[in-house]
Amino acid sequence: MVDEKRLANAIRALSMDAVQQANSGHPGMPMGMADIAQVLWRKYLRHNPKDPNWPDRDRFILSNGHGSMLLYSLLHLTGYDLSIEEIKNFRQLGSKTAGHPEYHECPGVETTTGPLGQGLANAVGMAIAEKTLAAQFNHADLPLVDHRTYVFVGDGCLMEGISHEVCALAGTLKLGKLIVFYDDNGISIDGEVAPWFSDDTVKRFESYGWQVIANVEGHNSAQIDTAIQAALSETDKPTLICCKTTIGYGAPNKAGKESCHGAPLGTDEIQGAREKLGWHDAPFEIPQEIYESWDAVTAGQQRQRDWQAILDRYQAKHPQQAAEFSRRLAQQLGSEWGEKSAALIADMAEQGADMASRKASQMALNAFGELLPELFGGSADLTGSNLTAWQGSVDVNTQPAGNYLYYGVREFGMAAIMNGIALHRGLIPYGGTFLVFSDYARNALRMAALMSVRSIFVFTHDSIGLGEDGPTHQPVEHLSSLRVMPNMTVWRPCDAVESFVAWKSAIEHQQGPSSLIFSRQTLAHQPRTAEQLANIHRGGYILKDSAESPELILIATGSEVALAMDAAVQLADKGIHTRVVSMPCCELFEQQDDAYRESVLPAKVTARVSIEAGESTYWYRYVGLQGSAIGMNSFGASAPGPVLFEKFGFSADQIVSQASRLLASQA
């Protein structure tokens, strides 16, 4: 029987060797948390290295992702498809072992971590998904969904404000299967944290409604084991296990100091650590008996077989629910989705109703929600303004099998929790706030795009058109900032029909997040032919054309499309052949073939004007340096929306004037 300390030292050896070979990285945390990881992964974590996507596996999240070599060591030692060559290639181009753990890039990595606190937030989302799906699918004798979410966090994660947002909510939701290990080593990059982090962490988490297990010796396997057992016995509260550790444990001169946090130990210090730890094997060499003691394949495969037996009985007794469960995990929308969703869009086009696009969004939810029980919505304390609740919404606070979560004023936490729900699978998360407050959620939006997860962000009150609340609430630069984010799909529909298409597209898009941008003010319905209706999903299309080849193209989105249509009528009266292009989604338009894009925006027509009540420089990619972009160059003002539109140049008359000057300058 291999000594537990020696098993933990395998993590330390691999971590310090890989960081040294890469000449960059963070050896201190893996060396400090190795003992905790040894107990958790060898005795409690339910997982199958041969099937990292087994649905009922426990989730393990390394929120302090700079210590990525801890996770890579664990995955390698327990039998995942992560060879010793990948460990040697730590932080090198093309390797599975990136500087911070990356979802999709390395088997067994449940989420991309690095921005501190967000892994913890993702874990809260995963625990919410587990609890919700268990309530929706489990029967007393058939616990189809029954797993835990374990998280490692450091001082930095708990200093980040997002930790307060999500942990307070986790306590309120009584997420009893969420277990967090706090690496209380007292060190961050700038040194000892006491001068800037003096929180009473125990009281803080107790006030959230958590079970807190304090003063666990993080290098004592027996104490760690006892703490985990206590965490498992508490089913009504999440648990925080506070582990006192030494950063860089085993390093003779750098242990307990910031010098081992984010830099290689150096060859002399590593040699000293080997002697102190009693590790006499060469770099990257792990004795066979240690591999055998760490190996989790046999036990993991048996656990999955046990679960498969439950699933088999479930399928026999509850075949319809079993089919629904499988459909959701496969992220399939059902055989009738395409036909029925298209029919709902056609019905909306036939109705021809004027309305705010936020109201149209709610109508889309009412329509599509009946077809998609996996929709899981919410809002950051703006449900009545975002209109994210629909007629089938059920609050999970009162009914665990529900589908709607009141997040409270927690925009960042909401977005990161949504990412965790999406990563878990089985639910399609959407959540709402005002567009201007996407700033609060910014890094979680970026992480959704980086991981290519299907989070649907609903942003209402999309421009100065919201009116009297003034520039603090009027988004200006936000549309452009979202559009330049790689892999983020941004929709700004001009009416109810485009709003329905935006929702359909976001639901069907599984390779990344979508931001749906909706208005507070009423938007006019735009009549369309069948061809125009079909072309909405292409992101940009001709909404109005001239009888002859156009000499001027107006490009608009959202509420400004109606202004472009009015301006086109006036320009036609002046004998100017004008085309109006509605561009609700630039990203999808860019994905169309050259022929289609040329048919909408022919290169020979250089007289182009874009109209959008936001920052305008983005639009020069479409109007060119010879064109004109009507937009905002200030932060708005407090006044009724129509007054502001007139003041800042958003009227048909002003568009006509600008277009006329442009044509004259090009004559």
Side-chain angles (χ1 to χ4, degrees):
M1 189 73 174
V2 180
D3 178 71
E4 288 186 321
K5 186 64 71 174
R6 183 158 168 75
L7 294 173
N9 287 342
I11 297 172
R12 296 185 172 103
L14 286 173
S15 297
M16 61 186 184
D17 288 343
V19 171
Q20 186 66 33
Q21 178 148 308
N23 198 30
S24 72
H26 301 74
M29 188 280 270
M31 297 175 75
M33 296 195 79
D35 296 301
I36 307 168
Q38 185 275 137
V39 177
L40 175 63
W41 276 65
R42 291 189 62 250
K43 295 186 178 181
Y44 294 100
L45 193 71
R46 298 170 65 254
H47 63 117
N48 180 5
K50 295 304 180 184
D51 187 359
N53 297 316
W54 167 35
D56 205 40
R57 69 193 181 279
D58 290 337
R59 271 63 170 179
F60 175 79
I61 308 302
L62 189 74
S63 188
N64 41 352
H66 55 269
S68 56
M69 268 312 305
L70 173 73
L71 180 53
Y72 297 145
S73 298
L74 290 164
L75 295 171
H76 170 70
L77 291 168
T78 55
Y80 283 79
D81 182 18
L82 193 68
S83 68
I84 195 66
E85 293 305 315
E86 293 290 352
I87 301 296
K88 292 178 180 179
N89 287 330
F90 178 55
R91 289 186 163 223
Q92 304 309 301
L93 182 64
S95 73
K96 297 179 182 179
T97 50
H100 292 81
E102 293 188 21
Y103 178 66
H104 285 318
E105 299 302 318
C106 180
V109 173
E110 300 283 1
T111 181
T112 300
T113 55
L116 294 178
Q118 283 201 68
L120 174 57
N122 296 161
V124 172
M126 292 175 186
I128 290 170
E130 192 277 341
K131 184 175 182 178
T132 300
L133 290 168
Q136 291 179 356
F137 286 99
N138 285 359
H139 294 270
D141 59 333
L142 294 169
L144 193 60
V145 181
D146 185 16
H147 53 266
R148 289 179 171 81
T149 303
Y150 296 98
V151 194
F152 279 11
V153 304
D155 295 299
C157 291
L158 298 190
M159 280 188 259
E160 289 285 0
I162 192 173
S163 70
H164 166 70
E165 294 185 24
V166 302
C167 291
L169 186 58
T172 300
L173 295 174
K174 302 182 185 302
L175 300 178
K177 291 183 178 178
L178 175 64
I179 300 174
V180 178
F181 296 83
Y182 167 34
D183 180 28
D184 184 9
N185 61 33
I187 296 292
S188 67
I189 292 175
D190 282 348
E192 295 184 9
V193 302
W196 54 83
F197 185 49
S198 59
D199 303 19
D200 189 328
T201 301
V202 172
K203 289 182 179 178
R204 172 186 165 189
F205 275 78
E206 286 177 344
S207 75
Y208 294 154
W210 286 54
Q211 172 184 226
V212 180
I213 303 171
N215 297 314
V216 175
E217 170 52 56
H219 305 298
N220 185 310
S221 296
Q223 287 192 29
I224 297 165
D225 194 298
T226 299
I228 295 174
Q229 290 183 38
L232 296 175
S233 67
E234 173 56 70
T235 60
D236 206 36
K237 295 179 179 180
T239 296
L240 179 73
I241 302 175
C242 300
C243 300
K244 292 289 185 179
T245 66
T246 299
I247 190 171
Y249 180 93
N253 302 301
K254 296 185 177 182
K257 300 176 182 179
E258 66 272 15
S259 57
C260 70
H261 173 90
L265 295 179
T267 54
D268 291 343
E269 187 75 2
I270 288 176
Q271 183 57 39
R274 279 182 145 75
E275 294 173 4
K276 188 170 183 178
L277 295 170
W279 188 270
H280 303 297
D281 297 281
F284 300 107
E285 287 189 6
I286 304 294
Q288 185 60 33
E289 67 269 18
I290 290 182
Y291 274 125
E292 291 173 358
S293 295
W294 266 108
D295 184 76
V297 172
T298 300
Q301 289 178 326
Q302 184 58 53
R303 288 190 181 104
Q304 186 165 354
R305 282 194 293 269
D306 293 343
W307 178 80
Q308 184 63 47
I310 294 174
L311 178 59
D312 292 342
R313 295 197 302 273
Y314 193 101
Q315 289 172 329
K317 294 184 68 174
H318 311 284
Q320 290 185 332
Q321 276 190 292
E324 172 67 9
F325 182 75
S326 298
R327 178 187 71 80
R328 292 207 208 170
L329 291 183
Q331 295 186 313
Q332 297 173 348
L333 294 176
S335 59
E336 296 184 339
W337 163 257
E339 181 179 347
K340 287 189 175 181
S341 59
L344 289 166
I345 292 171
D347 288 345
M348 178 52 64
E350 188 174 340
Q351 289 179 34
D354 297 349
M355 66 183 74
S357 54
R358 64 169 175 165
K359 179 61 180 176
S361 169
Q362 187 179 49
M363 292 179 67
L365 285 168
N366 281 328
F368 296 150
E370 297 292 338
L371 305 176
L372 298 170
E374 62 264 45
L375 276 181
F376 187 92
S379 174
D381 200 49
L382 288 170
T383 294
S385 295
N386 300 149
L387 302 183
T388 42
W390 58 286
Q391 61 194 12
S393 293
V394 177
D395 179 11
V396 296
N397 277 303
T398 58
Q399 296 189 43
N403 59 6
Y404 195 86
L405 176 57
Y406 292 92
Y407 285 94
V409 187
R410 300 181 175 102
E411 294 88 358
F412 192 6
M414 175 183 70
I417 285 171
M418 287 167 56
N419 291 343
I421 293 171
L423 287 162
H424 183 281
R425 292 203 175 194
L427 300 170
I428 301 175
Y430 69 91
T433 187
F434 292 166
L435 177 57
V436 76
F437 298 140
S438 64
D439 284 340
Y440 281 141
R442 177 76 184 187
N443 201 252
L445 305 183
R446 185 176 189 271
M447 295 303 289
L450 180 62
M451 292 188 286
S452 300
V453 296
R454 182 172 47 179
S455 294
I456 302 175
F457 303 107
V458 178
F459 297 126
T460 68
H461 296 59
D462 69 342
S463 73
I464 58 172
L466 67 89
E468 293 85 347
D469 276 336
T472 61
H473 284 54
Q474 291 167 3
V476 172
E477 72 278 18
H478 300 73
L479 281 162
S480 291
S481 70
L482 289 172
R483 288 179 178 133
V484 298
M485 184 182 292
N487 205 36
M488 175 65 75
T489 301
V490 183
W491 282 86
R492 188 174 184 241
C494 76
D495 65 359
V497 178
E498 286 189 357
S499 299
F500 267 59
V501 175
W503 264 108
K504 184 177 187 292
S505 174
I507 289 166
E508 293 175 347
H509 182 51
Q510 297 185 17
Q511 290 76 45
S514 298
S515 291
L516 309 184
I517 316 298
F518 297 122
S519 73
R520 179 193 185 196
Q521 71 272 28
T522 298
L523 306 183
H525 168 72
Q526 301 298 329
R528 296 172 180 83
T529 65
E531 181 181 6
Q532 289 172 322
L533 184 62
N535 283 339
I536 295 174
H537 80 277
R538 306 184 81 160
Y541 64 102
I542 301 168
L543 184 60
K544 180 180 177 59
D545 213 356
S546 56
E548 300 181 31
S549 296
E551 54 189 307
L552 171 71
I553 299 176
L554 303 179
I555 310 169
T557 77
S559 50
E560 291 72 72
V561 169
L563 297 178
M565 294 290 280
D566 291 342
V569 173
Q570 294 186 32
L571 288 162
D573 290 342
K574 294 176 175 287
I576 299 172
H577 303 302
T578 304
R579 170 178 292 180
V580 176
V581 171
S582 178
M583 188 79 76
C585 183
C586 300
E587 294 78 21
L588 288 183
F589 183 72
E590 292 296 329
Q591 293 172 20
Q592 306 307 308
D593 59 47
D594 292 344
Y596 178 77
R597 285 184 285 127
E598 172 65 18
S599 72
V600 176
L601 298 175
K604 65 181 181 181
V605 183
T606 59
R608 302 180 183 183
V609 179
S610 67
I611 312 105
E612 185 173 72
E615 186 278 334
S616 60
T617 57
Y618 177 87
W619 287 101
Y620 284 99
R621 68 189 301 168
Y622 293 116
V623 300
L625 296 179
Q626 294 177 293
S628 177
I630 299 175
M632 293 291 297
N633 57 15
S634 72
F635 285 111
S638 179
V643 174
L644 295 175
F645 265 57
E646 185 69 29
K647 170 181 171 54
F648 289 107
F650 298 99
S651 70
D653 290 344
Q654 289 165 318
I655 294 169
V656 169
S657 177
Q658 182 82 350
S660 299
R661 288 196 298 272
L662 177 64
L663 286 166
S665 70
Q666 293 188 7

